Coordinates of all heavy atoms in Angstrom, one line a residue:
N1 N -22.8 -13.5 5.6 CA -22.5 -14.1 7.0 C -21.8 -13.0 7.8 O -20.8 -12.4 7.4 CB -21.5 -15.3 6.8 CG -21.1 -15.9 8.1 OD1 -21.1 -15.3 9.1 ND2 -20.6 -17.1 8.0
P2 N -22.4 -12.6 8.9 CA -21.9 -11.5 9.8 C -20.5 -11.8 10.2 O -19.7 -10.8 10.3 CB -22.9 -11.5 10.9 CG -24.1 -12.2 10.4 CD -23.7 -13.2 9.4
E3 N -20.1 -13.0 10.5 CA -18.8 -13.3 11.0 C -17.8 -13.0 9.9 O -16.7 -12.4 10.2 CB -18.7 -14.7 11.5 CG -17.3 -15.0 12.2 CD -17.3 -16.4 12.7 OE1 -18.3 -16.9 13.2 OE2 -16.2 -16.9 12.7
E4 N -18.1 -13.4 8.7 CA -17.2 -13.1 7.6 C -17.1 -11.6 7.3 O -16.0 -11.1 7.0 CB -17.7 -13.9 6.3 CG -17.5 -15.4 6.4 CD -18.1 -16.1 5.2 OE1 -18.7 -15.3 4.3 OE2 -17.9 -17.3 5.1
Q5 N -18.2 -10.9 7.5 CA -18.1 -9.5 7.2 C -17.3 -8.8 8.3 O -16.5 -7.8 8.0 CB -19.6 -8.9 7.3 CG -20.4 -9.2 6.1 CD -21.8 -8.7 6.2 OE1 -22.3 -8.4 7.3 NE2 -22.4 -8.6 5.1
L6 N -17.4 -9.2 9.5 CA -16.5 -8.7 10.6 C -15.1 -8.9 10.3 O -14.3 -8.0 10.5 CB -16.9 -9.3 12.0 CG -16.2 -8.7 13.2 CD1 -16.5 -7.2 13.3 CD2 -16.7 -9.5 14.4
V7 N -14.7 -10.1 9.9 CA -13.3 -10.4 9.6 C -12.8 -9.5 8.4 O -11.7 -9.0 8.4 CB -13.2 -11.9 9.2 CG1 -11.8 -12.2 8.6 CG2 -13.4 -12.8 10.4
E8 N -13.7 -9.3 7.4 CA -13.3 -8.5 6.3 C -13.1 -7.0 6.7 O -12.2 -6.4 6.3 CB -14.4 -8.6 5.2 CG -14.0 -7.8 3.9 CD -15.0 -8.1 2.8 OE1 -15.6 -9.2 2.7 OE2 -15.2 -7.1 2.0
V9 N -14.0 -6.5 7.5 CA -13.9 -5.1 8.0 C -12.6 -5.0 8.8 O -11.9 -4.0 8.7 CB -15.1 -4.8 8.9 CG1 -14.9 -3.5 9.7 CG2 -16.4 -4.6 8.0
E10 N -12.3 -5.9 9.7 CA -11.1 -5.9 10.5 C -9.8 -5.9 9.6 O -8.9 -5.2 9.8 CB -11.0 -7.0 11.5 CG -9.8 -7.0 12.4 CD -9.6 -5.8 13.2 OE1 -10.5 -5.0 13.5 OE2 -8.4 -5.5 13.6
S11 N -9.8 -6.7 8.6 CA -8.7 -6.8 7.6 C -8.5 -5.5 6.9 O -7.4 -5.0 6.8 CB -8.9 -8.0 6.6 OG -8.9 -9.2 7.2
T12 N -9.6 -4.9 6.5 CA -9.6 -3.7 5.8 C -9.0 -2.6 6.7 O -8.2 -1.7 6.3 CB -11.0 -3.3 5.3 OG1 -11.4 -4.3 4.3 CG2 -11.0 -1.9 4.5
R13 N -9.4 -2.6 7.9 CA -8.9 -1.6 8.9 C -7.4 -1.8 9.1 O -6.7 -0.8 9.1 CB -9.7 -1.7 10.2 CG -9.3 -0.7 11.2 CD -10.0 -0.9 12.6 NE -9.5 -2.2 13.3 CZ -8.3 -2.3 13.9 NH1 -7.5 -1.2 13.9 NH2 -7.9 -3.4 14.4
Q14 N -7.0 -3.0 9.2 CA -5.5 -3.2 9.5 C -4.7 -2.8 8.2 O -3.6 -2.2 8.4 CB -5.3 -4.7 9.7 CG -5.7 -5.1 11.1 CD -5.4 -6.6 11.4 OE1 -4.9 -7.3 10.6 NE2 -5.8 -7.0 12.6
I15 N -5.2 -3.0 7.0 CA -4.5 -2.6 5.8 C -4.5 -1.1 5.7 O -3.4 -0.5 5.4 CB -5.2 -3.3 4.6 CG1 -4.9 -4.8 4.6 CG2 -4.6 -2.6 3.3 CD1 -5.8 -5.6 3.6
S16 N -5.6 -0.5 6.0 CA -5.7 1.0 6.0 C -4.7 1.6 7.0 O -4.0 2.6 6.6 CB -7.0 1.5 6.3 OG -7.9 1.1 5.3
Q17 N -4.6 1.0 8.1 CA -3.6 1.6 9.1 C -2.2 1.3 8.7 O -1.3 2.2 8.9 CB -3.9 0.9 10.5 CG -5.1 1.3 11.2 CD -5.4 0.6 12.5 OE1 -4.8 -0.4 12.8 NE2 -6.3 1.2 13.3
A18 N -1.9 0.2 8.1 CA -0.5 -0.1 7.6 C -0.2 0.9 6.5 O 1.0 1.4 6.5 CB -0.5 -1.5 7.2
I19 N -1.1 1.2 5.6 CA -0.8 2.1 4.5 C -0.6 3.5 5.1 O 0.3 4.2 4.7 CB -2.0 2.2 3.5 CG1 -2.0 0.8 2.7 CG2 -1.9 3.3 2.6 CD1 -3.3 0.6 1.8
A20 N -1.4 3.9 6.1 CA -1.2 5.2 6.7 C 0.2 5.3 7.4 O 0.7 6.5 7.4 CB -2.3 5.4 7.8
R21 N 0.8 4.3 7.8 CA 2.1 4.3 8.5 C 3.2 4.4 7.5 O 4.4 4.6 7.9 CB 2.3 3.1 9.4 CG 1.5 3.2 10.7 CD 1.9 2.1 11.7 NE 1.6 0.8 11.2 CZ 0.5 0.1 11.4 NH1 -0.5 0.7 12.0 NH2 0.4 -1.1 10.9
L22 N 3.0 4.1 6.2 CA 4.1 4.2 5.2 C 4.6 5.6 5.0 O 3.8 6.6 5.2 CB 3.5 3.7 3.8 CG 3.2 2.2 3.7 CD1 2.6 2.0 2.3 CD2 4.5 1.4 3.8
P23 N 5.8 5.8 4.7 CA 6.4 7.1 4.4 C 5.7 7.6 3.1 O 5.3 6.8 2.3 CB 7.9 6.9 4.1 CG 8.2 5.5 4.5 CD 6.9 4.7 4.6
E24 N 5.5 8.9 3.0 CA 4.8 9.6 1.9 C 5.4 9.1 0.6 O 4.6 8.9 -0.4 CB 4.8 11.1 2.0 CG 3.9 11.6 3.0 CD 2.4 11.3 2.7 OE1 1.9 11.5 1.5 OE2 1.7 10.9 3.6
R25 N 6.7 9.0 0.5 CA 7.3 8.7 -0.8 C 7.0 7.3 -1.3 O 7.1 7.0 -2.5 CB 8.9 8.8 -0.7 CG 9.6 7.9 0.2 CD 11.1 8.1 0.3 NE 11.7 7.1 1.1 CZ 11.9 5.8 0.8 NH1 11.6 5.4 -0.4 NH2 12.5 5.0 1.6
L26 N 6.5 6.4 -0.4 CA 6.0 5.1 -0.7 C 4.5 5.0 -0.8 O 4.0 4.3 -1.7 CB 6.5 4.0 0.3 CG 8.0 3.8 0.4 CD1 8.3 2.8 1.5 CD2 8.7 3.5 -0.9
K27 N 3.8 5.8 0.0 CA 2.4 5.7 0.1 C 1.8 6.3 -1.2 O 0.9 5.8 -1.8 CB 1.9 6.5 1.3 CG 0.4 6.5 1.5 CD -0.1 7.3 2.7 CE 0.9 7.7 3.7 NZ 0.3 8.5 4.8
E28 N 2.3 7.5 -1.6 CA 1.7 8.1 -2.8 C 1.7 7.3 -4.0 O 0.7 7.1 -4.7 CB 2.4 9.5 -3.1 CG 2.1 10.5 -2.1 CD 2.8 11.8 -2.3 OE1 3.9 11.8 -2.9 OE2 2.3 12.9 -1.9
P29 N 2.9 6.7 -4.5 CA 2.9 5.8 -5.6 C 2.0 4.6 -5.5 O 1.3 4.2 -6.5 CB 4.3 5.4 -5.8 CG 5.1 6.4 -5.0 CD 4.2 6.9 -3.9
L30 N 1.9 4.0 -4.3 CA 1.1 2.9 -4.0 C -0.4 3.2 -4.3 O -1.1 2.5 -5.0 CB 1.3 2.3 -2.6 CG 0.5 1.1 -2.3 CD1 0.9 -0.1 -3.0 CD2 0.4 0.9 -0.8
I31 N -0.8 4.3 -3.7 CA -2.2 4.7 -3.8 C -2.6 5.1 -5.2 O -3.6 4.7 -5.8 CB -2.6 5.9 -2.8 CG1 -2.5 5.4 -1.4 CG2 -3.9 6.5 -3.2 CD1 -2.6 6.5 -0.4
L32 N -1.7 5.9 -5.9 CA -1.9 6.3 -7.3 C -2.1 5.1 -8.2 O -2.9 5.1 -9.1 CB -0.9 7.2 -7.7 CG -0.9 8.6 -7.1 CD1 0.3 9.4 -7.5 CD2 -2.1 9.4 -7.4
T33 N -1.2 4.1 -8.1 CA -1.2 3.0 -9.0 C -2.2 1.9 -8.6 O -2.9 1.4 -9.5 CB 0.2 2.4 -9.2 OG1 0.7 2.0 -7.9 CG2 1.1 3.4 -9.8
C34 N -2.2 1.5 -7.4 CA -3.0 0.4 -7.0 C -4.5 0.7 -6.7 O -5.4 -0.1 -6.9 CB -2.4 -0.3 -5.7 SG -0.8 -1.0 -6.0
F35 N -4.8 1.9 -6.2 CA -6.1 2.3 -5.9 C -6.8 3.3 -6.9 O -8.0 3.2 -7.1 CB -6.2 2.9 -4.4 CG -5.8 1.9 -3.4 CD1 -4.5 1.9 -2.8 CD2 -6.6 0.8 -3.0 CE1 -4.1 1.0 -1.9 CE2 -6.2 -0.1 -2.1 CZ -5.0 0.0 -1.5
D36 N -6.0 4.2 -7.4 CA -6.5 5.2 -8.3 C -6.4 4.7 -9.8 O -6.9 5.3 -10.7 CB -5.8 6.5 -8.2 CG -6.1 7.2 -6.8 OD1 -7.1 6.8 -6.2 OD2 -5.4 8.1 -6.4
G37 N -5.7 3.6 -10.0 CA -5.6 3.0 -11.3 C -4.7 3.7 -12.3 O -4.8 3.4 -13.5
L38 N -3.8 4.6 -11.9 CA -2.8 5.2 -12.8 C -1.7 4.3 -13.1 O -1.4 3.3 -12.4 CB -2.2 6.4 -12.1 CG -2.9 7.8 -12.2 CD1 -4.3 7.8 -11.6 CD2 -2.1 8.9 -11.6
S39 N -1.2 4.4 -14.3 CA 0.0 3.6 -14.8 C 1.2 4.2 -14.1 O 1.1 5.3 -13.5 CB 0.1 3.8 -16.3 OG 0.5 5.1 -16.6
H40 N 2.3 3.5 -14.2 CA 3.5 3.9 -13.6 C 3.9 5.2 -14.3 O 4.4 6.2 -13.6 CB 4.6 2.9 -13.7 CG 4.4 1.7 -12.7 ND1 5.3 0.7 -12.7 CD2 3.4 1.5 -11.8 CE1 4.9 -0.2 -11.7 NE2 3.8 0.3 -11.2
A41 N 3.7 5.3 -15.6 CA 4.1 6.6 -16.3 C 3.3 7.7 -15.9 O 3.8 8.8 -15.7 CB 4.0 6.3 -17.8
E42 N 2.0 7.5 -15.7 CA 1.1 8.6 -15.2 C 1.4 9.1 -13.8 O 1.5 10.3 -13.5 CB -0.4 8.2 -15.3 CG -0.9 7.9 -16.7 CD -2.2 7.2 -16.7 OE1 -2.5 6.4 -15.8 OE2 -3.0 7.5 -17.6
A43 N 1.7 8.1 -12.9 CA 2.0 8.5 -11.5 C 3.4 9.2 -11.5 O 3.6 10.2 -10.8 CB 2.1 7.2 -10.7
A44 N 4.3 8.7 -12.4 CA 5.6 9.4 -12.4 C 5.5 10.8 -12.9 O 6.1 11.7 -12.3 CB 6.5 8.6 -13.4
S45 N 4.7 11.0 -13.9 CA 4.5 12.4 -14.3 C 3.9 13.3 -13.3 O 4.3 14.4 -13.1 CB 3.6 12.4 -15.6 OG 3.3 13.6 -16.1
L46 N 2.9 12.8 -12.6 CA 2.2 13.5 -11.5 C 3.2 13.8 -10.4 O 3.2 14.9 -9.8 CB 1.1 12.7 -11.0 CG 0.1 13.4 -10.1 CD1 -0.6 14.6 -10.7 CD2 -0.9 12.4 -9.6
L47 N 4.1 12.9 -10.0 CA 5.0 13.1 -8.9 C 6.4 13.6 -9.3 O 7.2 13.9 -8.4 CB 5.2 11.7 -8.1 CG 3.9 11.2 -7.5 CD1 4.2 9.8 -6.9 CD2 3.3 12.1 -6.5
G48 N 6.6 13.8 -10.6 CA 7.9 14.3 -11.0 C 9.1 13.4 -10.8 O 10.2 13.9 -10.6
V49 N 8.8 12.1 -11.0 CA 9.9 11.1 -11.0 C 9.8 10.2 -12.2 O 8.9 10.4 -13.0 CB 9.8 10.3 -9.7 CG1 10.0 11.2 -8.4 CG2 8.5 9.5 -9.6
T50 N 10.7 9.3 -12.3 CA 10.7 8.4 -13.4 C 9.7 7.2 -13.2 O 9.4 6.9 -12.0 CB 12.1 7.8 -13.7 OG1 12.4 6.9 -12.7 CG2 13.1 8.9 -13.9
P51 N 9.2 6.6 -14.2 CA 8.4 5.4 -14.0 C 9.1 4.3 -13.3 O 8.5 3.6 -12.5 CB 8.0 4.9 -15.5 CG 8.1 6.2 -16.3 CD 9.2 7.0 -15.7
K52 N 10.4 4.1 -13.5 CA 11.2 3.1 -12.8 C 11.2 3.4 -11.2 O 11.1 2.5 -10.4 CB 12.6 3.1 -13.3 CG 13.5 2.0 -12.6 CD 13.0 0.6 -12.9 CE 13.9 -0.4 -12.3 NZ 13.3 -1.7 -12.5
T53 N 11.2 4.7 -10.9 CA 11.2 5.1 -9.5 C 9.8 4.7 -8.9 O 9.7 4.2 -7.8 CB 11.3 6.6 -9.3 OG1 12.7 6.9 -9.8 CG2 11.2 7.1 -7.9
I54 N 8.7 4.9 -9.7 CA 7.4 4.5 -9.2 C 7.4 3.0 -9.0 O 6.9 2.5 -8.0 CB 6.3 4.9 -10.2 CG1 6.2 6.5 -10.3 CG2 5.0 4.3 -9.8 CD1 5.8 7.1 -9.0
E55 N 7.9 2.2 -10.0 CA 7.9 0.8 -9.9 C 8.6 0.3 -8.6 O 8.2 -0.5 -7.8 CB 8.6 0.2 -11.1 CG 8.7 -1.3 -11.1 CD 9.5 -1.8 -12.3 OE1 9.6 -1.1 -13.3 OE2 9.9 -3.0 -12.3
T56 N 9.8 0.9 -8.3 CA 10.6 0.6 -7.2 C 9.9 0.9 -5.9 O 9.8 0.1 -4.9 CB 11.9 1.3 -7.2 OG1 12.6 0.9 -8.4 CG2 12.8 1.0 -6.0
R57 N 9.3 2.1 -5.8 CA 8.6 2.5 -4.6 C 7.3 1.7 -4.3 O 7.0 1.4 -3.2 CB 8.2 4.0 -4.7 CG 9.5 4.9 -4.6 CD 9.2 6.3 -4.7 NE 10.5 7.1 -4.6 CZ 10.5 8.4 -4.7 NH1 9.4 9.1 -4.8 NH2 11.7 9.0 -4.6
V58 N 6.6 1.3 -5.4 CA 5.4 0.5 -5.2 C 5.9 -0.9 -4.7 O 5.3 -1.4 -3.7 CB 4.6 0.3 -6.5 CG1 3.6 -0.8 -6.4 CG2 3.9 1.7 -6.8
Y59 N 6.9 -1.4 -5.2 CA 7.5 -2.7 -4.8 C 7.9 -2.6 -3.3 O 7.5 -3.5 -2.5 CB 8.7 -3.1 -5.6 CG 9.5 -4.3 -5.1 CD1 9.0 -5.6 -5.3 CD2 10.6 -4.1 -4.4 CE1 9.7 -6.7 -4.8 CE2 11.3 -5.3 -3.9 CZ 10.8 -6.5 -4.1 OH 11.5 -7.6 -3.6
R60 N 8.6 -1.6 -2.9 CA 9.0 -1.4 -1.5 C 7.8 -1.2 -0.6 O 7.8 -1.7 0.5 CB 9.9 -0.2 -1.4 CG 11.3 -0.5 -2.0 CD 12.2 0.7 -1.9 NE 13.5 0.3 -2.5 CZ 14.4 1.2 -2.9 NH1 14.2 2.5 -2.6 NH2 15.6 0.8 -3.4
A61 N 6.8 -0.4 -1.1 CA 5.6 -0.2 -0.2 C 4.9 -1.5 0.0 O 4.5 -1.8 1.1 CB 4.6 0.7 -0.9
R62 N 4.8 -2.4 -1.0 CA 4.1 -3.7 -0.8 C 4.9 -4.5 0.1 O 4.3 -5.3 0.9 CB 3.9 -4.4 -2.2 CG 2.9 -3.7 -3.0 CD 2.8 -4.4 -4.4 NE 1.6 -3.9 -5.1 CZ 1.4 -4.1 -6.4 NH1 2.2 -4.9 -7.0 NH2 0.3 -3.6 -7.0
R63 N 6.2 -4.5 0.0 CA 7.0 -5.3 0.9 C 6.8 -4.9 2.4 O 6.7 -5.6 3.3 CB 8.5 -5.2 0.6 CG 9.0 -6.3 -0.3 CD 10.5 -6.4 -0.5 NE 11.2 -5.6 0.5 CZ 12.4 -5.1 0.2 NH1 13.0 -5.4 -1.0 NH2 13.1 -4.4 1.0
K64 N 6.9 -3.5 2.6 CA 6.6 -3.0 3.9 C 5.2 -3.3 4.5 O 5.1 -3.7 5.6 CB 6.8 -1.5 3.9 CG 8.3 -1.1 4.0 CD 8.3 0.5 4.3 CE 9.6 0.9 4.8 NZ 10.1 0.4 6.1
L65 N 4.2 -3.3 3.6 CA 2.9 -3.6 4.1 C 2.8 -5.1 4.5 O 2.3 -5.4 5.5 CB 1.9 -3.3 2.9 CG 1.5 -1.9 2.7 CD1 0.6 -1.8 1.5 CD2 0.9 -1.3 3.9
A66 N 3.4 -5.9 3.7 CA 3.4 -7.4 4.0 C 4.1 -7.6 5.3 O 3.6 -8.4 6.2 CB 4.0 -8.2 2.9
E67 N 5.2 -7.0 5.5 CA 6.0 -7.1 6.8 C 5.1 -6.6 7.9 O 5.1 -7.3 9.0 CB 7.3 -6.3 6.6 CG 8.2 -6.4 7.8 CD 9.4 -5.5 7.6 OE1 10.1 -5.7 6.6 OE2 9.7 -4.6 8.4
Q68 N 4.5 -5.4 7.8 CA 3.7 -4.9 8.9 C 2.5 -5.8 9.2 O 2.2 -6.0 10.4 CB 3.2 -3.5 8.5 CG 4.2 -2.4 8.6 CD 3.6 -1.1 8.2 OE1 2.4 -0.9 8.3 NE2 4.4 -0.2 7.7
L69 N 1.9 -6.3 8.2 CA 0.7 -7.2 8.4 C 1.1 -8.5 9.1 O 0.4 -9.1 9.9 CB -0.1 -7.3 7.2 CG -0.7 -6.0 6.7 CD1 -1.3 -6.2 5.3 CD2 -1.8 -5.5 7.6
R70 N 2.3 -9.1 8.7 CA 2.8 -10.3 9.3 C 3.1 -10.1 10.8 O 2.8 -11.0 11.5 CB 4.1 -10.8 8.6 CG 3.8 -11.8 7.5 CD 5.1 -12.5 7.1 NE 6.2 -11.5 6.7 CZ 6.4 -11.0 5.5 NH1 5.6 -11.3 4.5 NH2 7.4 -10.2 5.4
L71 N 3.6 -9.0 11.1 CA 4.0 -8.7 12.5 C 2.7 -8.6 13.4 O 2.7 -8.8 14.6 CB 4.8 -7.4 12.6 CG 6.2 -7.5 12.0 CD1 6.8 -6.1 12.1 CD2 7.0 -8.5 12.8
R72 N 1.5 -8.3 12.8 CA 0.3 -8.1 13.5 C -0.4 -9.4 13.8 O -1.3 -9.5 14.5 CB -0.6 -7.1 12.8 CG -0.2 -5.7 12.8 CD -1.2 -4.8 12.2 NE -1.4 -3.5 12.7 CZ -1.7 -3.1 14.0 NH1 -1.8 -4.1 14.9 NH2 -1.8 -1.9 14.3
E73 N 0.0 -10.5 13.0 CA -0.7 -11.8 13.2 C -0.3 -12.4 14.5 O 0.6 -12.2 15.2 CB -0.3 -12.7 12.1 CG -0.9 -12.2 10.7 CD -0.5 -13.1 9.6 OE1 0.4 -14.0 9.7 OE2 -1.0 -13.0 8.5

């Protein structure tokens, strides 16, 4: 359905823009774990932080994204 596709494209665009606005310290762990499929331990090793730091930053990134997307509605 073209209308559904348009809505999906717009949603994807809004999410991409919201991710781009995140600070690097939140964006990197989010991308590495949620999109690249790395574990918290793998992302932590790559970024030189602890797995708990990755967990915290991913949590904060998701909260910020949800907040940004709610404000756009």
Side-chain angles (χ1 to χ4, degrees):
N1 177 340
E3 187 175 328
E4 288 174 355
Q5 287 178 339
L6 182 60
V7 168
E8 187 174 326
V9 166
E10 179 61 21
S11 294
T12 301
R13 185 185 66 75
Q14 287 180 1
I15 292 168
S16 295
Q17 287 177 343
I19 291 171
R21 286 190 297 271
L22 289 173
E24 283 299 314
R25 67 182 182 75
L26 299 181
K27 185 184 339 183
E28 287 178 335
L30 180 73
I31 291 171
L32 290 173
T33 58
C34 296
F35 298 103
D36 293 344
L38 271 60
S39 68
H40 287 181
E42 293 168 327
S45 177
L46 189 64
L47 296 176
V49 297
T50 68
K52 183 65 178 173
T53 299
I54 296 296
E55 180 182 341
T56 300
R57 289 180 181 176
V58 169
Y59 172 79
R60 289 178 181 165
R62 287 179 173 169
R63 265 193 11 208
K64 278 193 164 291
L65 286 175
E67 183 181 303
Q68 287 181 22
L69 293 171
R70 264 195 309 271
L71 292 175
R72 289 188 149 296
E73 292 179 348

